[in-house]
Amino acid sequence: MLEGVAPDMTEPIAEVLRLLEDPGTFATRLNAPVDGLAIEVTGVGRVRLPIAVSTAEKLRKVARPAPFGRRDQTLHDSTVRNTWEIAKSRLKIPALPWKRVLAAHLRAIQHELGLPDDCQLKPVLDKMLVYERGQFFKAHQDSEKSDQMVASLVVVLPSEYSGGSLAVEHHGDKKLFHRVKSQSKGLSLLAFYADCHHEVRPVKSGFRVALTYQLVLEGPARVRPAKVQADTVDRLSKAIRAHFAVPVASGYSRSDRRPPERLVYLLDHEYTQRSLSWSHLKRGDRLRVGALQAAAERLGCECYMALADVHEVWGCVEGYSRGRFGGRSWEPLEDTSGEADDYELIDLHDSTVVLHQWLDASGNAAGGLRGVVGDEELCFTKPSVEVDPFKSEYEGYQGNYGNTVDRWYHRAALVMWPRENSFVLRAQASPRWAVEELGALPLAATAEFEAKVRRMLPSWAEHAGHEEDATFPAKLMKVAARIEDAALARGFIAPVGAHRLGQRPTRLALIALIEKHGIGWGKELFTQWTEVRHWQGPPDWIPLLSRICGDLVASDHDYCQAVAKWLLERETKAVCERSAEALKSQQAWLDLDSFLDEATGIAHVLRAAVASGDDAPVEHVSTFLTGGRPRLPLIFQVQVLQQCCAMGPRALHATLARSKLCQRVIEELEEIVGAPPRGRADWSIEHPLRCGCKDCEVLSRFLNSSDQAERDWALNKQRRRHIHGVLDSNNLPVRHATLRRGSPFVLCLRKDQSLFSREDDHRRRLKSMLVRFEALARAEPLD
C-alpha cells in the first residue's frame, strides 16, 4: 500500500473533510494574576511570589536533576534534559482558593483547545521545575500517564529571567511562547495537547520556575458529536455512497474488481491505547469524526475506532537533517543505533496499515475484525510523512533500491462500513465464527443462508485457507451440505485444500457432498485443490491419498467410486511424470537417499491403489519402474520398496512381494553384495557423469582407471571451475586443488582413501536392505 498520498478512490471524501477547519488550537497561553496561589516546599517553606533570586537558589538546593523518558526507560542525560525538579510529594498547595481560580482558567483553556463543552478539564499536579542559566529541555513528547489525559499544563511562576522560551509543534505547525513583561508579577499558563512535541530553550539569565500538570478530560463516555453543517454532511454522504458503490481492484485479487467493504479514515492526532476514546477526540478529529458519524447514520453504516500501526518504506538521500522547529540543525531526541534523521525523503516505496484495539460505537472493546487495511479502503487528510515517527531505521545503498528508511507511526482511525457488510468483515477475521454462525441459522432460512455465503465468497479464499482450527474443515463441509447451488458449495469449501482431509469426519462430509453434487463436481473440486504445481517434493496432501480414495470407494456410491478411480489414475500419472523429470538430474556417488521425495510419492500412490482395490495404478507404476527405457537407477527402485515397506499396510506388502519390482531389486542386490570386495589397489570409481563435454570425458577416464590415483591437469580458470563443480556435485572421493604455477594453473586431482571406507559402508547398507526385501518376498512380518 502507498499511503503517502491519498488514494484516488477516497480523495473525494478527503476533500470534504479538509474543508472542516480545526476548532481551537493545539497550544495556547493564558496570562493571569497570582490570586489564590500559595505554595509551600519542604525544606524551603512558603514560596513568596514573585520569586526572588534568593528563593530560587533555595529551591535549587532541595531539587534533584530531572530525568526524561525514552520508550520504557527513565534516563538522565544533561545533553538532553538539563533542569532541576522538585517532586509532588514535597509540594503543598492549599486547595482553596487556587482550585477554584484554576478551574476558571481551565474553562478558557478548554475552549481554546477546541475540546467539547460537555466535558471538563481537571488538573493533576505533577512536579515543580527550576531552570537556571544555561539549562534547557530538548524537543520531546509527554507520555500520557492516564486514560483521560489529553494535554499538559505548565504554570510559569512570576520571576525575573530571560530566555527559556517554550516551542510547541504539531504536525508541522509551530508556536513559540516567549517570556512576556507581565510574567514579572503574574502567572503564565501554557497548555498544549499531549501528542505535541515541545522544547524549553536555554535560559539566558535568572531562574525560570514552573509547576507542571497533567490535564485530564472528565465527562460522559459518549459526548454529543460535533455539529456539522447539513450541506457538508450531504456532500460527505454522497462521496461515501460512491466509495461503497464503485468497483475497484482489491488486495485479494487485482483482476477481481468489487466495491470496497470499509472506509478507514486516519485521524490527525496521535492516541494511545489508554487515551483512545470517543469522548477524548482532539480538535479537528472530533469535528471530522462527527461529520463521518452523521453521514454513517444517514447511510446505514456502522462506526468503530481503532489504533492504527503504520509502516512506511521511503527512498531517501543522505545529508539532510529534518529540523523539527525549522531549519536543518535540530537533532532528534532519540539517536540510537540503526536510526537516523540525516536524510531527505524522496519517494514512498511501500506502506502498510494494521488496525487493532477496536472500540465499538458505545466505547466498548470490540474484537473479531480484520486488521489489515487495503489500498482501496484508506482515507486521510494528513499523510503520515507529516507526522513524527516513533521509530525509524535507515538502510544504506541496496543496489537497485538505493538508500531507504523505514518509519513507524502510531495513529488512530475511524472505520465505517454498511451494516450489510458486517457479516463478511467478521468472517474475514474469523472464518470459524462465520461457519458457526451459518450453521446456527434455521434450516428454513435458505435465502438468508445462501445470500450470506455469496457475499463472503469473493474474499473467503484469502482467509478461510488460513484457519488453523483442526475441527474447521469438518464443520465447513457439514455447513456446505445446506448449499443447493453446486458452484457455490464448491467455492465455499475449496479454500481448505486437500491437505486438510486428514480427519475422517471431514472426509465423510466430503463424500456426502460428492453424492449430492455428482462426479463432475468432485473432479472439479480435486482439480482446484491439486492444480498447484510442486517444484520440490510430492504435494503436501499426497500422504492422505490412500485414506481419501479408501473412504470414497468404501462409500459404495457410484459417484464417489468414480471420483476415487479418476483421482488415483490422475495422481499415478502425475507422480510418474514428476519422478521421470527428477531422474534426469545427476545422482551423487553411492547416495542411497537420492530421489527420496519421488520414491515417497510413488509409495503413497501404491498404498492408495491397494486400499482402493484398484490394480491399474499398480501395473502402471510397475511398468514405469521396471519396463521403461532408459532403465531407471537401481537406487530409485530400492527407495520405492523401502518407502512401501515403511508405510504398510500388509496388503501393500503382499502386493509388492509378488511384484516384478521386488524380484528384480533382490536379484540386482544379490549380485552387488555377492561380488568380491574391492581390492586395496583398485582406485576405480564407476560413476557415469551426465555432462558429455571433452573435459568430463577425460575426467571419466581418470575416475574409471583402477591404477591411476593422481592426475595433474593444466586448465584455464573456466574449465577448472567446471571440474570443481562436477566433483563437488557428485560427492566423489577426489580431492581437487589448484596449483598456482605456470600458465594456465594446474588442477591437482587426488583420489581419496575414503573411497574404500565409503564403499564398504555402502555394501553393508545394501546387504541390510536385501535382507529386508527377502523377508518381504517370503511374506514375513517386517519390523
Side-chain angles (χ1 to χ4, degrees), residues 97-112:
W98 172 241
K99 181 178 180 180
R100 183 177 63 253
V101 173
L102 183 56
H105 297 328
L106 291 180
R107 282 194 292 272
I109 289 173
Q110 181 175 335
H111 177 75
E112 288 293 316

Side-chain angles (χ1 to χ4, degrees), residues 2-308:
L2 297 183
E3 183 263 325
V5 293
D8 292 340
M9 59 284 289
T10 59
E11 179 59 25
I13 302 172
E15 285 181 359
V16 178
L17 294 174
R18 288 192 196 100
L19 297 176
L20 298 173
E21 297 183 359
D22 290 349
T25 181
F26 60 89
T28 186
R29 172 161 59 186
L30 178 66
N31 297 316
V34 297
D35 297 346
L37 178 59
I39 307 172
E40 291 186 14
V41 179
T42 303
V44 176
R46 183 175 180 181
V47 177
R48 295 184 178 277
L49 302 177
I51 297 176
V53 173
S54 59
T55 303
E57 289 175 343
K58 291 178 182 179
L59 293 172
R60 180 188 58 190
K61 290 180 180 179
V62 301
R64 63 183 182 184
F68 63 94
R70 177 179 290 168
R71 297 194 179 119
D72 58 348
Q73 296 177 298
T74 300
L75 306 173
H76 286 87
D77 185 347
S78 60
T79 64
V80 174
R81 187 178 194 184
N82 185 6
T83 185
W84 304 99
E85 73 171 24
I86 299 174
K88 173 183 176 179
S89 59
R90 305 192 64 173
L91 302 176
K92 182 179 179 181
I93 302 176
L96 294 174
W98 172 241
K99 181 178 180 180
R100 183 177 63 253
V101 173
L102 183 56
H105 297 328
L106 291 180
R107 282 194 292 272
I109 289 173
Q110 181 175 335
H111 177 75
E112 288 293 316
L113 293 179
L115 292 168
D117 295 334
D118 43 2
C119 293
Q120 189 174 8
L121 279 178
K122 294 288 187 180
V124 178
L125 181 63
D126 192 16
K127 61 176 73 77
M128 176 183 279
L129 297 175
V130 180
Y131 290 82
E132 62 180 323
R133 181 181 178 184
Q135 290 190 314
F136 58 90
F137 192 177
K138 283 189 175 181
H140 63 285
Q141 184 178 352
D142 291 342
S143 58
E144 298 182 0
K145 302 177 179 65
S146 70
D147 294 352
Q148 288 77 34
M149 181 180 173
V150 294
S152 297
L153 174 66
V154 179
V155 180
V156 183
L157 304 178
S159 65
E160 292 294 337
Y161 71 92
S162 63
S165 300
L166 176 68
V168 185
E169 183 265 348
H170 185 260
H171 296 344
D173 294 330
K174 306 175 182 65
K175 285 194 174 185
L176 186 60
F177 298 99
H178 297 289
R179 181 181 182 276
V180 294
K181 292 182 178 180
S182 62
Q183 286 183 235
S184 297
K185 297 182 179 180
L187 303 175
S188 181
L189 286 73
L190 302 166
F192 47 87
Y193 280 112
D195 61 338
C196 292
H197 288 82
H198 53 285
E199 69 171 335
V200 178
R201 295 182 174 176
V203 172
K204 297 179 180 179
S205 64
F207 288 86
R208 179 185 185 271
V209 183
L211 299 172
T212 62
Y213 291 83
Q214 305 167 36
L215 293 181
V216 301
L217 193 63
E218 295 183 349
R222 289 297 307 271
V223 299
R224 294 191 304 273
K227 293 182 179 181
V228 182
Q229 292 183 357
D231 63 334
T232 300
V233 178
D234 291 342
R235 292 182 58 197
L236 191 58
S237 299
K238 182 179 179 181
I240 294 174
R241 185 182 293 110
H243 169 75
F244 287 123
V246 178
V248 295
S250 72
Y252 307 120
S253 174
R254 290 295 170 185
S255 60
D256 181 18
R257 299 177 66 85
R258 56 183 182 272
E261 295 167 332
R262 305 184 299 185
L263 173 66
V264 179
Y265 170 67
L266 294 181
L267 306 184
D268 285 357
H269 280 265
E270 297 176 43
Y271 299 86
T272 66
Q273 182 178 346
R274 304 178 69 177
S275 66
L276 184 64
S277 165
W278 295 99
S279 61
H280 287 60
L281 296 174
K282 304 167 185 176
R283 297 181 67 211
D285 286 345
R286 178 170 172 262
L287 187 60
R288 295 186 183 100
V289 165
L292 289 167
Q293 286 177 301
E297 183 176 358
R298 181 178 297 182
L299 298 173
C301 293
E302 297 183 21
C303 286
Y304 286 75
M305 280 204 305
L307 295 180

Side-chain angles (χ1 to χ4, degrees), residues 351-585:
S351 176
T352 57
V353 180
V354 180
L355 305 175
H356 61 103
Q357 301 297 330
W358 293 77
L359 294 179
D360 64 17
S362 299
N364 299 318
L369 294 166
R370 174 167 57 87
V372 178
V373 178
D375 296 12
E376 72 283 359
E377 302 174 318
L378 189 65
C379 177
F380 50 85
T381 48
K382 187 177 291 295
S384 292
V385 71
E386 296 181 12
V387 180
D388 288 302
F390 79 91
K391 180 184 177 182
S392 63
E393 290 183 357
Y394 173 79
E395 185 74 43
Y397 180 71
Q398 295 291 308
N400 292 335
Y401 294 100
N403 301 329
T404 61
V405 62
D406 289 73
R407 292 157 67 95
W408 290 267
Y409 307 86
H410 288 325
R411 301 190 67 174
L414 179 134
V415 189
M416 72 161 63
W417 57 79
R419 289 191 178 90
E420 59 267 24
N421 288 353
S422 292
F423 181 80
V424 173
L425 293 170
R426 293 187 181 278
Q428 292 171 0
S430 177
R432 181 180 62 178
W433 171 88
V435 168
E436 291 172 351
E437 287 291 306
L438 288 170
L441 289 175
L443 293 177
T446 303
E448 179 185 359
F449 177 89
E450 293 206 357
K452 285 188 173 182
V453 173
R454 290 184 189 281
R455 286 189 64 85
M456 63 192 285
L457 208 58
S459 59
W460 182 239
E462 175 74 14
H463 304 280
H466 299 292
E467 177 60 65
E468 297 179 354
D469 180 28
T471 65
F472 176 72
K475 292 178 180 178
L476 181 69
M477 301 284 183
K478 184 178 179 180
V479 171
R482 294 176 56 180
I483 303 176
E484 296 301 325
D485 185 293
L488 186 63
R490 187 178 69 252
F492 186 58
I493 69 172
V496 298
H499 66 288
R500 300 295 299 276
L501 298 177
Q503 295 187 352
R504 193 158 189 266
T506 306
R507 298 194 297 274
L508 294 180
L510 175 61
I511 286 171
L513 289 171
I514 295 175
E515 292 175 355
K516 179 177 182 177
H517 297 295
I519 299 173
W521 185 90
K523 289 182 178 181
E524 289 175 357
L525 177 64
F526 274 102
T527 298
Q528 186 174 350
W529 275 344
T530 60
E531 66 185 359
V532 178
R533 185 173 181 181
H534 294 260
W535 296 100
Q536 291 186 341
D540 54 1
W541 68 275
I542 206 72
L544 301 175
L545 183 62
S546 63
R547 282 183 272 177
I548 294 171
C549 292
D551 285 342
L552 286 170
V553 172
S555 70
D556 200 26
H557 193 284
D558 292 344
Y559 291 168
C560 295
Q561 291 176 347
V563 170
K565 184 175 182 62
W566 166 83
L567 180 62
L568 193 50
E569 290 176 353
R570 184 174 183 269
E571 290 309 310
T572 300
K573 180 180 179 181
V575 77
C576 290
E577 289 176 351
R578 285 194 295 268
S579 298
E581 187 66 26
L583 290 169
K584 294 178 182 179
S585 61

